[in-house]
């Protein structure tokens, strides 16, 4: 690798790091908003001013849990159209993810109240870490970590029985989609098909770890749905340990 190639690689790495840090900054802003919601919606004092704030926040959450998912889908359709037209699609895609995050937060806070917002404090941190994984680590790690992370979140919902069943099923479907994407990429040698195929994974990528992780994530959620909330509680620790093992494995591989 000559000097010019090293400089170009360093430039690409700097850009990736900057983009990852932007997601971290967004996560910090979202954490700050959650702190305010926790104070003035979950733990408000019974004085007129704070009661009015809590009622306003309740109305806002009701609106966002419906409007944000719709806006996210529209932004995703915009990104798809831009990709088809061979235009830049980064902005609408980022907007779709941001709106999806807002929709998830609004729904969880409104439906699960205190326990929900406590979980979201950890979930937002996980989102920021996942963004850094996408930009800094190997893409196969991102796919495996996404499936494993969603399994942990789905198991959290399973613990609430019928109350969280819909959310758990939706996450199970999402894990299945990631699994299907990994299998598809394996067949196409890392290329995402289309009129202008996009290389998502490097050639000769080892798909064993992502495939096994996706299968384990699906199995853990299905087992918890069958066995109940107690099994879900212990399986959360199993999948968190699995996620930590992924971090260690891919960090060593990166060296």
């Amino acid at each position: 690798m000559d000097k010019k190639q090293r400089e170009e690689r360093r430039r690409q790495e700097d850009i990736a790091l900057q983009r990852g840090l932007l997601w971290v900054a967004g996560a910090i802003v979202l954490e700050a908003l959650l702190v305010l919601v926790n104070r003035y919606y979950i733990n408000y004092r019974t004085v007129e001013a704070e009661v009015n704030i809590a009622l306003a926040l309740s109305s806002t959450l009701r609106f966002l849990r419906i409007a944000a998912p719709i806006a996210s889908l529209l932004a995703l359709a915009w990104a798809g159209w831009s990709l088809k037209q061979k235009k830049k699609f980064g902005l609408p895609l980022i907007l779709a993810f941001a709106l999806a995050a807002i929709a998830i937060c609004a729904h969880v806070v409104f439906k699960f109240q205190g326990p929900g917002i406590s979980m979201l404090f950890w979930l937002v941190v996980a989102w920021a870490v996942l963004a850094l994984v996408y930009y800094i680590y190997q893409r196969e790690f991102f796919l495996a970590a996404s499936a494993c992370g969603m399994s942990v979140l789905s198991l959290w919902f399973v613990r609430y029985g019928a109350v969280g069943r819909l959310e758990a099923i939706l996450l199970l479907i999402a894990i299945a989609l990631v699994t299907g994407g990994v299998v598809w990429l394996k067949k196409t040698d890392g290329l995402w098909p289309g009129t202008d195929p996009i290389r998502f994974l490097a050639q000769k990528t080892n798909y064993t770890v992502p495939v096994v992780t996706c299968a384990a994530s699906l199995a853990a959620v299905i087992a918890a749905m069958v066995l109940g909330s107690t099994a879900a509680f212990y399986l959360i620790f199993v999948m968190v340990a699995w996620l930590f093992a992924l971090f260690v494995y891919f960090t060593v591989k990166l060296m």
Side-chain angles (χ1 to χ4, degrees), residues 174-248:
I175 298 169
L177 290 175
V178 173
T179 305
V182 171
V183 173
W184 185 277
L185 288 168
K186 183 179 180 181
K187 290 181 178 179
T188 60
D189 195 22
L191 285 175
W192 197 257
T195 53
D196 188 14
I198 299 173
R199 176 154 297 283
F200 188 80
L201 295 177
Q203 290 179 319
K204 297 182 180 179
T205 294
N206 188 343
Y207 291 87
T208 302
V209 173
V211 169
V212 171
T213 300
C214 288
S217 300
L218 287 170
V221 176
I222 293 171
M225 287 180 172
V226 173
L227 299 175
S229 59
T230 302
F233 176 77
Y234 289 107
L235 282 170
I236 287 175
F237 293 99
V238 173
M239 297 312 297
V240 169
W242 191 301
L243 189 57
F244 179 75
L246 288 175
F247 270 102
V248 173

Side-chain angles (χ1 to χ4, degrees), residues 17-199:
L17 181 59
Q18 290 170 7
R19 290 175 177 174
L21 291 176
L22 284 175
W23 282 102
V24 172
I28 292 172
V29 172
L30 190 53
E31 286 278 9
L33 292 174
L34 288 173
V35 169
L36 293 176
V37 171
N38 184 55
R39 169 63 182 83
Y40 292 104
Y41 177 66
I42 302 298
N43 298 308
Y44 66 91
R45 294 176 295 182
T46 54
V47 295
E48 184 177 358
E50 293 197 10
V51 170
N52 290 334
I53 293 173
L55 290 173
L57 286 173
S58 178
S59 299
T60 302
L61 292 171
R62 285 176 183 270
F63 171 76
L64 288 176
R65 71 196 294 242
I66 297 174
I70 296 173
S72 178
L73 290 174
L74 291 175
L76 194 61
W78 177 20
W81 178 83
S82 299
L83 178 62
K84 188 176 181 180
Q85 298 297 319
K86 297 183 180 179
K87 297 180 179 179
K88 292 183 178 180
F89 59 92
L91 178 60
L93 191 61
I94 290 172
L95 185 61
F97 283 127
L99 288 167
I102 292 172
I104 291 169
C105 290
H107 174 75
V108 171
V109 171
F110 186 82
K111 185 173 181 178
F112 295 92
Q113 298 292 305
I117 203 166
S118 296
M119 181 271 288
L120 287 174
F121 282 130
W122 291 101
L123 181 60
V124 172
V125 173
W127 281 338
V129 173
L130 195 60
L132 289 174
V133 167
Y134 177 81
Y135 287 111
I136 297 174
Y137 284 79
Q138 304 94 328
R139 293 282 177 85
E140 58 267 32
F141 180 22
F142 171 76
L143 293 172
S146 296
C148 193
M150 285 191 290
S151 73
V152 174
L153 183 57
S154 183
L155 291 168
W156 187 88
F157 285 120
V158 172
R159 289 183 59 218
Y160 284 85
V163 176
R165 181 167 294 276
L166 176 61
E167 291 81 0
I169 292 173
L170 290 175
L171 282 165
L172 183 63
I173 294 171
I175 298 169
L177 290 175
V178 173
T179 305
V182 171
V183 173
W184 185 277
L185 288 168
K186 183 179 180 181
K187 290 181 178 179
T188 60
D189 195 22
L191 285 175
W192 197 257
T195 53
D196 188 14
I198 299 173
R199 176 154 297 283

